Amino acid sequence: MKKYRYQLVDVFTDRAFGGNPLAVLTDARGLPAEVMQAIAKEFNLSETTFVLPPETPGHDFRVRIFTPGRELPMAGHPTVGTAFVLAREGMIKSTSDETTVMFEEGVGTIPVSLRFRNDAPDFVEMNQPLPRFGARFADAALIAEMLSLDVRDIETDLPIEVGSCGIPFLFVPLRSLSAARRCRVRLDVWEKALGGFETRDIFVFTREVEYEGSTVHSRMFAPEMGIGEDPATGSASGPLGCYLIRHKLFDSPGEFSCVSEQGVEMGRPSFIHVRVAHEAGEFTSVRVGGRCVAMGEGTLD
């Protein structure tokens, strides 16, 4: 029976038991997709990644990403965490203070930069596809009901809008930290409100924060992916930064940098660093990064 090694890592944190946990199989050759899906369900983490040789020239690794419910074309914390693990395993070499590798994911090429300290990976940052904004949800009262909130908790001067840097999320602006803490997704209303909508994955945020140095406080709910709540969502943090610029919530000539705190309500504080470059009203780059902590390893038979 073949053994497959896996690594466990906490992503978007600088301390154990924070951030978003991830399992990484650094050599997944020979595993069919249905077994990858079963392994992801077995771990029951937000995501599990499977590293393979690249299929197209110009890439260093192929990375497949699975939630307990389905495969994703890309994701933030799995990309960042996988690069961190590969560097710790010596599969990504430190050629200078900063090294860039090319991941092949479902959306195409994802460049990932790693900064090293004392030959160990210290900070990992991924490039995301440029943002696309989609449908707006007009019924704020229905969204409030879905989140177990009052419509007054929603910042209705801003749109409830779909944004995507590879995976679409419905962005819901809230007026206060109190409202964010009180969010509870009602699945009956969720099915009624978002059935047939462009996306059923919900990202709420407020400009009130708990931690010094944070810019926004965030939560993400994705029942359809098998994720009741996610401690840190890098794939949503890129378009979040773009949303903040698109709707002029922060002054940011040229480049906007922010930190999204997430996972606080779950007891897993996460800090996601976002950099968005823009010029003449157009977005030119989106980067999401953070730190990671190795937690352990094992084998699957």
Side-chain angles (χ1 to χ4, degrees):
M1 183 175 290
K2 186 170 181 180
K3 293 182 179 291
Y4 287 88
R5 289 185 65 237
Y6 65 86
Q7 305 286 329
L8 295 175
V9 59
D10 287 344
V11 184
F12 295 128
T13 182
D14 61 358
R15 63 201 63 195
F17 307 114
N20 201 346
L22 174 74
V24 181
L25 278 72
T26 54
D27 183 0
R29 287 175 293 182
L31 285 175
E34 60 269 22
V35 177
M36 293 182 186
Q37 183 65 76
I39 290 171
K41 192 171 184 179
E42 180 78 10
F43 279 122
N44 202 32
L45 301 173
S46 295
E47 283 100 358
T48 298
T49 62
F50 300 84
V51 180
L52 299 158
E55 293 187 340
T56 54
H59 297 86
D60 298 286
F61 302 95
R62 183 182 180 210
V63 179
R64 296 186 70 174
I65 303 167
F66 287 80
T67 75
R70 64 182 174 95
E71 185 173 6
L72 299 179
M74 62 86 70
H77 106 270
T79 298
V80 168
T82 298
F84 175 83
V85 166
L86 294 177
R88 288 189 81 250
E89 291 284 286
M91 298 170 69
I92 296 175
K93 303 295 185 182
S94 170
T95 56
S96 62
D97 289 341
E98 183 168 307
T99 299
T100 298
V101 294
M102 299 296 178
F103 281 2
E104 179 184 345
E105 298 187 7
V107 296
T109 304
I110 300 291
V112 184
S113 299
L114 301 94
R115 294 205 298 265
F116 288 80
R117 178 182 294 178
N118 299 325
D119 294 325
D122 182 56
F123 188 90
V124 183
E125 186 179 61
M126 68 179 293
N127 281 53
Q128 295 188 347
L130 294 179
R132 177 191 63 80
F133 289 93
R136 293 184 174 184
F137 199 96
D139 191 344
L142 183 57
I143 293 295
E145 182 186 5
M146 179 186 70
L147 295 171
S148 307
L149 300 176
D150 189 280
V151 69
R152 291 170 295 183
D153 290 317
I154 295 179
E155 196 166 351
T156 50
D157 292 340
L158 295 170
I160 300 170
E161 181 176 48
V162 173
S164 172
C165 286
I167 298 177
F169 296 87
L170 181 62
F171 287 89
V172 182
L174 302 178
R175 294 192 182 277
S176 67
L177 193 56
S178 169
R181 290 171 176 157
R182 287 184 279 112
C183 283
R184 301 289 185 276
V185 175
R186 288 185 51 186
L187 292 179
D188 57 336
V189 183
W190 170 75
E191 291 176 351
K192 177 178 69 174
L194 298 181
F197 192 65
E198 185 175 345
T199 180
R200 303 177 80 183
D201 303 331
I202 309 141
F203 194 91
V204 305
F205 70 92
T206 175
R207 285 171 283 173
E208 284 191 3
V209 299
E210 285 200 28
Y211 290 89
E212 184 178 356
S214 297
T215 313
V216 290
H217 181 96
S218 306
R219 298 180 73 180
M220 197 283 276
F221 308 99
E224 193 172 39
M225 290 189 198
I227 302 170
E229 181 171 358
D230 196 30
T233 316
S235 55
S237 300
L240 169 66
C242 298
Y243 180 106
L244 298 175
I245 296 306
R246 173 178 167 88
H247 298 295
K248 300 179 172 58
L249 298 182
F250 294 92
D251 185 31
S252 62
E255 183 171 283
F256 173 61
S257 297
C258 70
V259 176
S260 173
E261 61 181 36
Q262 192 180 334
V264 177
E265 289 79 6
M266 303 177 70
R268 302 195 65 98
S270 307
F271 301 94
I272 307 161
H273 295 254
V274 182
R275 291 195 295 152
V276 177
H278 57 102
E279 185 176 353
E282 299 291 331
F283 294 104
T284 56
S285 72
V286 181
R287 298 181 177 93
V288 171
R291 306 179 83 175
C292 303
V293 177
M295 293 297 294
E297 62 182 89
T299 57
L300 290 174
D301 295 327

